[in-house]
Amino acid sequence: MVGGAFPADAADEGPEPLAPRRLFDQSRPGVELVTARFSGDLAVPVPEVTPANERALEARVVDRMRRGEIPTTEAAARNATIEEIARDPLRWYTATGRFDRRKVKLAASGSGFTISPDGYIVTNAHVAALKDQDLKAIFLRQWFGEGNQEFIQKLSQGGIPQSLTAKFLSAMVRWAMRTALLYNVQRRLAVVTPSGSGGGTASGGRPARLMAAIDELPGKDVAILKVDASNMATVPLGDDTALSTGDRLFVLGFPAPATFNPALSKDSQKEPTLTQGVLSAKKKVRQGFTVLQTDATMTHGNSGGPVFDEQGRVVGVATFGSVDPSTGREVAGLNFAVPVSVVSDLLSTASIEPAEGDATRNYRMALDAFDRQWYKRALPLFRKVKALDPNHPSVGRLIAASEAAIRQGRDRTPREVVGLPVGEFAAVAAAGGLVVAGALAVPLRRRRRARRRGVPVVSAFQPAPTPPSFTGVSRPASLEPGAAVEEGDWFDHRPVRAVGTTDPWPPEDRTAEPPGQPALPNGGRHERQPGRRVAWSEPTPPLVGQPVCRNCGHRSPPTLRFCEQCWTVLGSEE
């Protein structure tokens, strides 16, 4: 019957899927907003078309008119000239000795997740580990996009099509990438997270250091940051190879349109956004590694955030989306994540070990109890998390909810016997009783049949030595002449303690034995009952090693894991 209570294949079923609410509560403390600030000096040479290049360019446009490729109008000639320059700017433009200089700044944000309580955080390389060349490209796009609005406006007013204007500006960025200079580059990384203690949190978050990175796209685009903190909340890493198309996925991060929406309060910026979808496909990029395609919503700001499976384990890192080549706009529902196996490889190379801290472990256990309405069991665990991680973003709300549920009588915490809930203990005890009864039934029936036939009975069961933990239980003594041989002859005797003492009987009575019985040297004594064998008992020692609750001071039996009075987790014995 005990075996029937535990199906043989139960271990193969795996953990149950988490409800989205539970997945969010469990994962939210370990997901971070990552900010990066870059600055430097940029010098762009002033371009010019030399007289020789000007004559060559004019000749090419005239030749196209003669062949009938373009109309013989002034507007067509102007557009054809711009098109030629946009096709090959390095051929027509020459850098002069004059430079346009300016100080450039860039503020970027993304998402990340903590994988160890001492402050190791995973994000994308394109969020936190941009190279100088990539920074220069971004700064130049800003320069030609924002600093040349008048120029763009003049081109549009002159009748130049918008598509041709975009091509021309892109060509100017390509030309400047070859000729411009970026220097005095400074990087400042920070992680905005309330979780953990230490490390001096500034208004912009904890300062972070770049520990390892793989090249951004088209590379694997993963980076590892480190902040100086302890007891930070973490999220567990999963296995992306176990995923199949159609499996549910959850994305948790800080998308910019929702995080920095001007209609929302500043405090809302600290609250991550949860989206969900399915694994649409596993695909390979040109560089040869696999990426996970999903229809779960992602956008700018989600980069570097975790992608979870249904059990709340990280299986990917949100990295990039899809763009319509004709319009340059994002295409919804076609997003991609770098698999977590890439993260594991980088962690191994950098000798960084992911781990779950005490605060996260107790928080997960508390959520398990909270979800079952075991509020008295969850409350001390939540308080322990609060003590380890005073700034934990969720535990304060859950402590208040647990206290309110207890006051309102909604607690369903079971009582415990020998460390098990009463219901489970009763089931185990009942099953154990049936097993013992079955084992004893056969020899007892045989003994009774033999007694009826007059056959001498020789017991196959010998008295076993008393375990140290049951020293107060009587041990069988030798059989006395004339004692009846019955199954009920054995009996247990526990000496009665005197009132106000911890000794089984007062010192003055230790040597006092009933008439006809010798005193025993160790303080035990014989007792006789009619029709019974003599049993020997020794004094029951006082109970020692009882755990004392650090919360209320109550002493509980050593078999319990939680205080009988307040359900605080019991500590070490006194």
Side-chain angles (χ1 to χ4, degrees), residues 30-119:
V31 179
E32 328 292 356
L33 173 64
V34 178
T35 63
R37 297 182 182 277
F38 306 95
S39 62
D41 294 302
L42 186 64
V44 179
V46 177
E48 69 173 358
V49 179
T50 63
N53 285 343
E54 186 176 356
R55 290 191 295 269
L57 184 57
E58 183 179 350
R60 180 167 297 188
V61 172
V62 170
D63 186 57
R64 292 185 62 188
M65 287 181 175
R66 288 174 179 172
R67 293 198 304 267
E69 295 179 2
I70 58 175
T72 57
T73 63
E74 183 179 349
R78 180 193 57 207
N79 291 348
T81 302
I82 294 175
E83 188 175 353
E84 287 292 336
I85 295 175
R87 184 180 296 114
D88 190 2
L90 294 172
R91 163 68 178 84
W92 304 111
Y93 276 131
T94 302
T96 64
R98 295 175 290 112
F99 286 85
D100 284 337
R101 303 177 186 272
R102 68 171 64 175
K103 291 188 176 296
V104 287
K105 296 180 180 179
L106 173 66
S109 69
S111 304
F113 53 95
T114 307
I115 49 94
S116 70
D118 55 346

Side-chain angles (χ1 to χ4, degrees), residues 373-384:
Q373 297 184 338
W374 294 358
Y375 301 113
K376 287 185 179 179
R377 184 173 298 180
L379 185 57
L381 291 171
F382 282 137
R383 287 173 174 164
K384 186 173 182 180

Side-chain angles (χ1 to χ4, degrees), residues 415-416 554-557 560 562-568 570:
R415 302 286 291 181
E416 288 191 337
H554 178 75
R555 290 178 178 270
S556 299
L560 297 186
F562 299 86
C563 175
E564 291 179 311
Q565 299 297 321
C566 67
W567 291 97
T568 299
L570 294 174

Side-chain angles (χ1 to χ4, degrees), residues 250-512:
F250 298 84
V251 178
L252 189 58
F254 295 86
T259 303
F260 303 106
N261 191 312
L264 303 178
S265 68
K266 191 171 182 179
D267 287 341
S268 296
Q269 296 178 3
K270 300 177 182 178
E271 189 68 14
T273 298
L274 179 70
T275 58
Q276 60 180 303
V278 299
L279 177 64
S280 304
K282 289 185 178 181
K283 296 187 176 181
K284 283 192 175 182
V285 296
R286 293 179 180 177
Q287 286 67 30
F289 63 93
T290 300
V291 293
L292 310 177
Q293 180 183 333
T294 178
D295 62 347
T297 302
M298 302 179 195
T299 188
H300 302 290
N302 277 115
S303 293
V307 178
F308 294 100
D309 63 11
E310 288 186 303
Q311 285 74 40
R313 300 168 299 199
V314 179
V315 292
V317 182
T319 303
F320 65 99
S322 299
V323 176
D324 186 336
S326 61
T327 63
R329 295 180 180 177
E330 292 184 38
V331 179
L334 300 175
N335 302 305
F336 296 88
V338 172
V340 74
S341 53
V342 172
V343 176
S344 299
D345 291 343
L346 181 59
L347 292 173
S348 178
T349 302
S351 300
I352 299 171
E353 194 72 28
E356 181 185 59
D358 289 340
T360 300
R361 187 179 303 109
N362 282 278
Y363 181 63
R364 179 168 42 79
M365 292 168 56
L367 287 176
D368 288 340
F370 187 89
D371 288 345
R372 300 177 73 174
Q373 297 184 338
W374 294 358
Y375 301 113
K376 287 185 179 179
R377 184 173 298 180
L379 185 57
L381 291 171
F382 282 137
R383 287 173 174 164
K384 186 173 182 180
V385 175
K386 184 71 173 178
L388 290 169
D389 184 2
N391 298 314
H392 192 284
S394 303
V395 73
R397 169 179 58 84
L398 293 167
I399 287 175
S402 299
E403 292 173 339
I406 294 171
R407 287 195 305 269
Q408 295 165 8
R410 294 187 284 112
D411 178 65
R412 299 292 181 268
T413 305
R415 302 286 291 181
E416 288 191 337
V417 179
V418 197
L420 293 174
V422 172
E424 296 180 19
F425 177 81
V428 172
L434 290 174
V435 173
V436 173
L440 294 178
V442 173
L444 291 178
R445 286 197 299 270
R446 291 175 179 173
R447 184 174 295 189
R448 292 191 182 99
R449 285 198 298 268
R451 191 179 296 114
R452 285 196 296 269
R453 294 196 300 267
V455 178
V457 177
V458 179
S459 175
F461 298 96
Q462 300 297 325
T466 304
S469 59
F470 294 90
T471 54
V473 178
S474 301
R475 295 183 294 189
S478 302
L479 291 175
E480 291 188 348
V485 181
E486 296 292 341
E487 299 304 322
D489 280 350
W490 303 119
F491 72 98
D492 291 341
H493 169 69
R494 292 181 183 271
V496 179
R497 288 185 172 90
V499 176
T501 70
T502 58
D503 224 336
W505 52 78
E508 62 269 19
D509 294 335
R510 284 190 175 179
T511 57

